[in-house]
Amino acid sequence: MASPPENPLVSVIVPAFNAESKLPAALDSVLAQTEVSWECLVIDDGSTDGTAGIVRNYEAKDSRFRLIQQENLGVGAARNSGLAQAKGEFIAPLDADDRWLPEKLAKQVDRMKAEGPDCGLVYCWSNRIDDQGAFMWRCRPFEAEGEVFDALLMWNFVGNASVPLYRASVLAGIRPYLTRVEQGGVQGCEDWELSLRMADCCRFAVVRNYLVDYRQVFPCMSGDVRGMASSYDVLIQRLGEAGRNTPQKIYRWSAGHFNAYLVSKAFGGGMHLEVFRFILKSFAADHAMLINRRLYIYGLKTCAKVILGRVLGIKRRPASRPGKARVPKAAPAHPNAGVRSMSYLELLQEHRWATTVGSAKETGGPPPC
């Protein structure tokens, strides 16, 4: 049942390409939203499966759903098509393979209203789920608020495209998502790039709850590490063209972190050469990454896989095999809380993060190493 008309309307934008297996879970999570008025625009980005038929079934049952069809232009263009037809005071993107917890929109709307018109984006925290929808782990709970541009460039603490709630009036004043064409045929960082431009003109706030289930399996867009790397290069180039006075060390730290992230993605996808490529790029961007033991572990494990594969003929197991469901554990108040002592790199990252957040009200700890 729809919420009372005095509630501000939230436009949910769902880009979908050949998403018939996961889309119902995403749309059901929209239906389950409590105490909020919404419309849901599903953009079928040239699907060749039953995606459009699924959306039509939802349309027939609930008029708040609307199908928009276009040729395959990529996720950025699909989201922009939704933005062009959205009527809401707030905008909430949702990827077709993710899902929300029932209070996600209500909590973010309440926080946005409480913060006032100079707040343009409210984010929350995410759970990681596997291909079957089973809980895997909780993502790091960042708490940066206020003016967060430098912190967001250093690390994309918003996390993923299904997290933010945007104020439509602020979003309307800037260029929308970068399209695949604008990124030279690749995609992957368009949501981070948009959040950075939002951070350049408004304040951010956070809802300190895990309200998004973020599904990531291979093959997926973030598993295309080469495309992600190229998309990141476009993001950095665009920031340079904007002429913002950001310290160069923030760019170096950002590149070191991002390439280390791509190492983990390449390793999970069995892309052996890319593992070493991004390890070297991480080292070159930020020399502190030379003491990141995780990168050496990824490198050694990759060497072992290559040797076992060539000498013994052992093939790697599929990266996207279903995992055993886990019980969510409460996240520590501080990302480095625990009985073990912090490594030198973690201490360095904590210092960097503290100096980067600027006027942010709270940090929630340093980025991961």
Side-chain angles (χ1 to χ4, degrees):
M1 180 179 294
S3 301
E6 62 269 17
N7 286 355
L9 180 67
V10 178
S11 294
V12 179
I13 297 176
V14 184
F17 173 69
N18 288 346
E20 64 178 358
S21 64
K22 304 296 189 301
L23 183 58
L27 300 186
D28 286 344
S29 77
V30 177
L31 276 171
Q33 293 301 297
T34 60
E35 300 179 10
V36 67
S37 297
W38 54 265
E39 62 171 356
C40 183
L41 286 65
V42 184
I43 300 85
D44 177 11
D45 188 38
S47 297
T48 57
D49 64 358
T51 293
I54 289 172
V55 182
R56 291 192 183 98
N57 289 336
Y58 278 83
E59 278 184 316
K61 298 174 183 177
D62 193 319
S63 62
R64 293 176 293 177
F65 288 98
R66 183 147 51 104
L67 172 65
I68 301 171
Q69 291 182 284
Q70 64 179 36
E71 62 179 306
N72 181 252
L73 299 173
V75 66
R79 291 187 186 129
N80 291 343
S81 295
L83 287 175
Q85 300 192 40
K87 302 175 182 177
E89 182 178 343
F90 303 117
I91 305 294
L94 172 62
D95 281 352
D97 54 356
D98 297 337
R99 64 194 186 201
W100 290 335
L101 274 68
E103 295 182 331
K104 195 265 187 187
L105 292 182
K107 285 182 176 292
Q108 287 183 303
V109 168
D110 286 347
R111 187 64 200 274
M112 186 82 82
K113 291 163 66 176
E115 287 294 315
D118 62 337
C119 177
L121 187 152
V122 174
Y123 68 101
C124 60
W125 301 336
S126 300
N127 300 310
R128 187 68 61 87
I129 60 174
D130 67 14
D131 188 41
Q132 308 304 311
F135 174 84
M136 297 175 67
W137 64 80
R138 282 181 166 170
C139 299
R140 188 170 296 260
F142 288 99
E143 297 182 349
E145 295 188 301
E147 298 177 9
V148 299
F149 183 93
D150 287 355
L152 184 62
L153 174 57
M154 179 179 176
W155 191 263
N156 182 16
F157 59 78
V158 174
N160 61 79
S162 298
V163 164
L165 179 77
Y166 299 110
R167 188 181 297 275
S169 59
V170 177
L171 196 57
I174 64 174
R175 176 175 45 76
Y177 290 96
L178 287 177
T179 65
R180 188 169 59 197
V181 171
E182 290 174 315
Q183 297 178 85
V186 298
Q187 54 189 359
C189 292
E190 53 282 323
D191 53 310
W192 187 8
E193 194 270 346
L194 179 64
S195 293
L196 280 164
R197 284 188 284 111
M198 290 287 287
D200 205 22
C201 63
C202 67
R203 296 172 56 254
F204 282 27
V206 61
V207 172
R208 293 169 176 83
N209 297 105
Y210 288 89
L211 301 173
V212 175
D213 285 339
Y214 174 47
R215 194 189 316 259
Q216 192 169 19
V217 296
F218 286 92
C220 64
M221 185 169 65
S222 60
D224 176 13
V225 290
R226 294 178 185 175
M228 290 284 290
S230 296
S231 181
Y232 176 80
D233 290 342
V234 172
L235 179 155
I236 296 300
Q237 178 185 348
R238 293 269 180 161
L239 290 180
E241 293 171 352
R244 197 180 195 281
N245 187 24
T246 300
Q248 285 301 309
K249 63 182 181 182
I250 306 296
Y251 286 93
R252 294 196 302 271
W253 298 345
S254 173
H257 280 306
F258 187 73
N259 282 289
Y261 163 78
L262 292 182
V263 170
S264 68
K265 294 299 171 190
F267 180 81
M271 294 170 275
H272 304 318
L273 291 177
E274 301 305 316
V275 168
F276 296 113
R277 175 191 176 197
F278 292 116
I279 287 176
L280 293 176
K281 289 189 70 173
S282 182
F283 288 165
D286 180 4
H287 293 166
M289 288 295 161
L290 287 166
I291 58 173
N292 187 336
R293 62 182 181 182
R294 292 184 182 180
L295 298 183
Y296 294 99
I297 291 171
Y298 280 128
L300 289 172
K301 286 185 175 181
T302 299
C303 287
K305 287 186 175 185
V306 171
I307 293 171
L308 289 173
R310 290 185 177 180
V311 177
L312 302 179
I314 298 176
K315 297 181 180 180
R316 70 180 183 91
R317 292 176 293 179
S320 59
R321 65 187 185 278
K324 183 182 295 184
R326 306 178 191 175
V327 177
K329 296 181 180 179
H334 188 286
N336 287 321
V339 295
R340 70 176 180 86
S341 60
M342 294 170 62
S343 69
Y344 177 75
L345 180 58
E346 288 170 329
L347 289 169
L348 176 61
Q349 299 292 47
E350 184 174 68
H351 173 71
R352 287 176 167 182
W353 184 250
T355 60
T356 300
V357 291
S359 61
K361 290 187 285 188
E362 299 181 50
T363 70
C369 300

